[in-house]
Every structure is written in structure tokens, then in C-alpha cells.
Amino acid sequence: MSDPLHIAGKSYSSRLLIGTGKYKDFDETRDAIEASGAEIVTVAIRRTNIGQNADEPNLLDFVTPDKYTILPNTAGCFNAEDAVRTCKLARELLDGHNLVKLEVLGDQKTLYPNIAHTLRAARELVDDGFQVMVYTNDDPIVAQELESMGCVAVMPLGSLIGSGLGILNPHSILLIKEQARVPIIVDAGVGTPSDSALAMELGCDGVLMNSAIAHAKQPVLMASAMKKAIEAGREGFLAGRMPKRVYANPSSPAEGLVS
Amino acid sequence: MKLTVNGDTVTLDGATVADLVTQLNLHGRRLAVEVNRDIVPKSEHATCSLRDGDVVEIVHAIGGG
């Protein structure tokens, strides 16, 4: 079934986006991404280790920009200025590639988004020609505001980053999705394949995760499980669920019973 | 000259951003360079002269979510 995800003018057959953090090594990172089927892969931008060996391995040698859409994030930024600066460095690093994941965080304990700074940074980045996929809370009004600013995807949290608590407020996610005209991607909080399936059954366009795969006992196997859950949830959404009823309704006909 | 590179003091024997990148064993790697908060495009690394006291940031991509 052809049911592509469109983001910023590009089509993707996978609706699972995954991060590259917390893996044991780059081999495991590459194998997990391969098993997940993801085509969009997030990376962080950090200082190089000065005085390093010339042959020290580099993430982008394992996860190459010719094979994957690299989505640099602004993780670790707690104000708009740092986030915008990081995006500009990322654009230079990736030869002008302007798709970014904006996240401006509020505090270390919750990593909840700082919405005032997120809005400010989003405006500045869109004006500067960036295609912004934005991490936000599950507030439908904020999501609408980010969309109207020109963000190419809005990415509400299911629950706190790295918590694995799943989608704590599916009703809010539903409200966000109902009114949106850009892709809505649940970003953060997913812990299990069933969490991913729920996001997709709600009608979301995709799910972005890192810890749920990287912190599984067997990350590569979990990557494969998540791929299937996202596909199942999406097909379930498209198929349309049966109506719920209070009382039973037999599946076998009442006629022709032996008596 | 003495520079501040990624927060550390570095004594550069050469003159340009490209010289610094080479001295740090980073030549040929995928990175981005900022000098005094302005990005220096790769195409200008060989011609961008550094001055004593410049503050340089050199970044790369690492694993992240």
C-alpha cells in the first residue's frame, strides 16, 4: 500500500523517525536504524573533541546523508538564541541542508519545552529559510501557532523525553491532529510498540523516538517491533475502527442453530 | 597566536581556519566552524585568517534524539 508521509516537499515511505543517541556503538546504531526502516534520522550537534585521533569514527560515516535524511536537533538548548545558532551550524555542517528539529527546553528535570523561546526561535528560523520540525507540548493552541508560523511539522510530546511513559493525553493529541494541515509527529515519551500503535491509531502522521529503541534490552529487535507497530497502527487508522458498544453483539448468525 | 577553541586555549602555528583544522587532526572530516560567533563556510576555510584571541567553535554531528 502506497501511503507516503510528506514533509517539506519530500516523500517518505516510513513513518518512524529515530534518534541516534544512547546506542552501545555506531554498529548498533546503524543496525537499529536499518531494522527500523526509518528514513529520517536525528543527530545532535556538539563540539568536536580537539586533539582527537585522525581516525576516530564519525557517526555520519555509519549513517550517511546520501542514504538518510539527517535531521539535526537543538537538544540541550535552553533559549532561542542557542537553538538558532545550533541550527545555523548544522546547516553549514550538512552543506546547506535546511531541515531541522527545533527543541528549546525549559529545565533539566523535565526537558519540557519552553514555549516562549520555541515560538521565538521558530519565527527566526522560518524567516531565515529553515524548514522547521518543532518539538512542542501537547497544547493544540501552541501547535496551531507553530503551524501558522510556517513550521513544516509539529511534534507534540507523548510524555517527557526519555520517560517511556507513553501517550499520557491522547485526547490532546487528537485535538492537535484534527485541526492540523502539516504532519503531526509524536515526539518523545513512547516506550513500547503499543504506544507507537496508539499514536498512529489516533491519526498522527508519524512517531519520533530514541530511548524506546536504544534502551531496550535488544535495540535491533525493538527497532523491528516499532516498525511493525507503526505500520499496524497506520493501517488500523486508515481502515477505521469498529464502533464501540455497551452490550455484546454476536459474530455468528443466530439463525440455523440446532435444537 | 593563541586562540580559544571549543573552550580550550590552542596555540596555532599557521594562519588560517584550514591550518587550525589540520593542526587539530580534523582535516577532511565533516564539521562546521564558527569564529567569534560567525560561521565560516567550508569554501572559506583556506582563506579565512585568524587573529590572536579569536574564539573558535568547531562542531560535528553525534548521536542524539
Side-chain angles (χ1 to χ4, degrees):
Chain A
M1 183 181 65
S2 176
D3 171 38
L5 167 64
H6 300 282
I7 297 177
K10 214 173 154 187
S11 297
Y12 300 93
S13 56
S14 170
R15 291 175 177 273
L16 173 55
L17 294 73
I18 73 172
T20 52
K22 303 174 177 173
Y23 288 97
K24 186 179 65 182
D25 53 34
F26 288 145
D27 287 325
E28 188 180 73
T29 312
R30 182 195 52 216
D31 294 347
I33 295 170
E34 194 70 42
S36 77
E39 296 162 286
I40 302 176
V41 175
T42 67
V43 301
I45 305 298
R46 291 291 182 272
R47 285 172 162 172
T48 56
N49 184 9
I50 63 173
Q52 68 181 14
N53 298 325
D55 55 359
E56 196 169 307
N58 185 299
L59 173 64
L60 295 181
D61 296 332
F62 289 79
V63 184
T64 59
D66 60 330
K67 189 169 176 192
Y68 297 100
T69 294
I70 305 295
L71 182 61
N73 69 27
T74 62
C77 293
F78 287 83
N79 60 64
E81 189 191 7
D82 288 349
V84 169
R85 187 181 177 194
T86 300
C87 289
K88 289 178 178 175
L89 283 164
R91 180 166 62 182
E92 162 64 14
L93 179 76
L94 294 167
D95 305 321
H97 169 77
N98 61 13
L99 187 70
V100 291
K101 172 184 164 180
L102 172 64
E103 53 185 304
V104 188
L105 305 170
D107 68 26
Q108 289 284 3
K109 191 174 175 184
T110 65
L111 301 179
Y112 220 76
N114 179 321
I115 297 300
H117 279 265
T118 299
L119 291 166
R120 199 184 313 161
R123 166 101 49 209
E124 209 174 311
L125 290 167
V126 170
D127 287 349
D128 195 12
F130 282 96
Q131 294 177 308
V132 181
M133 299 175 69
V134 58
Y135 167 67
T136 183
N137 57 17
D138 56 9
D139 179 337
I141 307 302
V142 172
Q144 190 70 72
E145 188 71 19
L146 289 163
E147 175 181 333
S148 64
M149 275 181 183
C151 291
V152 299
V154 174
M155 307 202 289
L157 49 75
S159 50
L160 300 184
I161 293 173
S163 70
L165 290 176
I167 298 172
L168 294 184
N169 196 342
H171 305 288
S172 291
I173 300 290
L174 202 54
L175 289 177
I176 290 171
K177 177 55 200 171
E178 271 177 0
Q179 64 183 2
R181 282 174 298 178
V182 295
I184 299 300
I185 293 166
V186 168
D187 177 6
V190 161
T192 61
S194 57
D195 294 336
S196 301
L198 172 61
M200 299 311 294
E201 286 173 28
L202 290 169
C204 291
D205 299 277
V207 180
L208 196 165
M209 69 184 73
N210 192 147
S211 306
I213 295 174
H215 279 179
K217 283 182 186 151
Q218 295 187 55
V220 178
L221 185 57
M222 186 58 88
S224 165
M226 290 295 185
K227 175 181 196 279
K228 291 167 184 160
I230 299 262
E231 288 170 359
R234 178 66 181 174
E235 288 186 9
F237 168 72
L238 293 175
R241 65 152 298 151
M242 65 163 280
K244 288 185 181 177
R245 344 170 19 115
V246 175
Y247 295 107
N249 181 24
S251 298
S252 308
E255 300 81 41
L257 275 171
V258 292
S259 59
Chain B
M1 72 179 94
K2 281 207 184 328
L3 308 167
T4 302
V5 182
N6 290 357
D8 289 339
T9 303
V10 169
T11 304
L12 175 65
D13 300 325
T16 66
V17 168
D19 293 337
L20 175 65
V21 167
T22 302
Q23 181 177 318
L24 295 176
N25 270 338
L26 296 170
H27 180 71
R29 301 180 76 90
R30 191 181 274 276
L31 41 80
V33 178
E34 220 185 37
V35 177
N36 302 327
R37 292 208 157 219
D38 288 324
I39 284 176
V40 180
K42 287 178 198 72
S43 58
E44 296 172 19
H45 284 190
T47 52
C48 178
S49 298
L50 291 164
R51 285 185 294 195
D52 197 55
D54 278 348
V55 177
V56 182
E57 293 287 337
I58 305 177
V59 301
H60 65 159
I62 65 158

